Amino acid sequence: MIIAEAKPVKEIIEMVKDLKKILVVGCKGCVSVCNVGGAKEAAILASTLRIAGKKNGNTLEVGEHTLERQCDPEYVDELKEIIEEYDGIISIACGVGPQFLAERFPSSRIFPGVNTKFMGGAIEHGVWAERCAGCGQCVVHYFGGLCPIARCSKSLLNGPCGGSDNGKCEISKDVDCIWDMIVRKMMEQGRLDELLEFKPPKSWTTARDGGPRRLIREELVK
């Protein structure tokens, strides 16, 4: 899922300081799972902004509305009847959300309420870790199901670098060397020789370096 964290309230207040009526728009998608963008968080942010407005002597009216997803036009359209009532919209979805709102409602001022961090998963309650770089052509089957592109600090595809020490990355003793994990797993599975086999070069044409990407499923296109 996409992992995000809430922007500091001080930063949000500064962004909307000249506005009088604001709508906080939550998202029930990925960011709600990491307790950042759901209905509860939208209500908390809205309440915080109201309190801050009163404290600063600013009569700030704050509404709230939570969409099923902000990355789907059919859900974004829920706002079309109310969005013109507000001076600005704070999206607490991932970075896709405010962009979809800005594209759908070009006359509205849209502000991001969260910082999008990475694609990953929960490794324990309240802790998320990066697992995928979205590079377009997945090759984790070569590496015991582990991704050296997202999880190696240098995204090396041909083994550990000289900075690896006792299973840790040179950037920090708190960062595991993914290549140490890959080698150990392949050894445990009796597949270590596979790491010595020639693999065709990975295609980077589907990665982000080729510009903004699209995925088209012809059978779903109306």
Side-chain angles (χ1 to χ4, degrees):
M1 63 182 172
I2 297 175
I3 311 300
E5 64 179 2
K7 279 184 174 292
V9 173
K10 185 177 180 179
E11 181 181 346
I12 296 175
I13 292 173
E14 178 64 22
M15 286 191 296
V16 301
K17 64 181 179 180
D18 298 326
L19 306 182
K20 297 296 183 182
K21 192 172 182 180
I22 298 166
L23 179 65
V24 177
V25 181
C27 178
K28 296 180 183 178
C30 299
V31 289
S32 68
V33 180
C34 49
N35 297 321
V36 172
K40 180 181 72 174
E41 289 75 27
I44 291 172
L45 177 57
S47 178
T48 301
L49 292 174
R50 293 186 195 106
I51 293 171
K54 288 182 180 179
K55 183 178 180 180
N56 296 329
N58 178 21
T59 305
L60 185 63
E61 185 176 342
V62 185
E64 56 193 81
H65 188 95
T66 300
L67 302 176
E68 192 69 28
R69 289 190 295 275
Q70 288 190 32
C71 55
D72 255 328
E74 62 185 289
Y75 296 117
V76 170
D77 273 350
E78 287 181 25
L79 300 176
K80 64 183 179 181
E81 301 298 330
I82 61 172
I83 199 164
E84 296 297 331
E85 301 173 15
Y86 296 90
D87 302 324
I89 312 299
I90 299 174
S91 166
I92 54 172
C94 73
V96 176
Q99 294 188 69
F100 261 53
L101 295 181
E103 292 169 13
R104 177 64 181 85
F105 307 108
S107 63
S108 297
R109 295 187 64 185
I110 310 296
F111 302 90
V114 309
N115 295 322
T116 303
K117 306 299 286 185
F118 50 79
M119 287 186 287
I123 55 175
E124 59 181 273
H125 187 69
V127 180
W128 294 269
E130 187 170 14
R131 289 292 183 267
C132 180
C135 66
Q137 183 195 29
C138 191
V139 291
V140 297
H141 56 295
Y142 292 152
F143 311 108
L146 306 174
C147 179
I149 297 171
R151 300 175 67 181
C152 169
S153 301
K154 299 176 181 177
S155 295
L156 296 179
L157 287 170
N158 58 347
C161 71
S164 175
D165 183 43
N166 291 322
K168 298 296 181 179
C169 177
E170 64 184 317
I171 67 167
S172 171
K173 292 181 180 180
D174 296 325
V175 178
D176 293 326
C177 171
I178 190 62
W179 268 103
D180 182 81
M181 296 172 64
I182 290 170
V183 170
R184 290 178 183 276
K185 184 169 183 181
M186 297 295 273
M187 288 176 64
E188 290 170 359
Q189 294 182 351
R191 299 169 54 207
L192 187 61
D193 287 349
E194 292 181 26
L195 293 179
L196 301 177
E197 296 175 1
F198 173 79
K199 305 292 192 307
K202 174 178 162 51
S203 172
W204 293 101
T205 60
T206 55
R208 180 61 183 81
D209 295 340
R213 295 168 286 184
R214 282 192 175 194
L215 174 64
I216 300 175
R217 290 276 300 274
E218 296 290 352
E219 72 274 20
L220 300 178
V221 176
K222 295 181 180 179

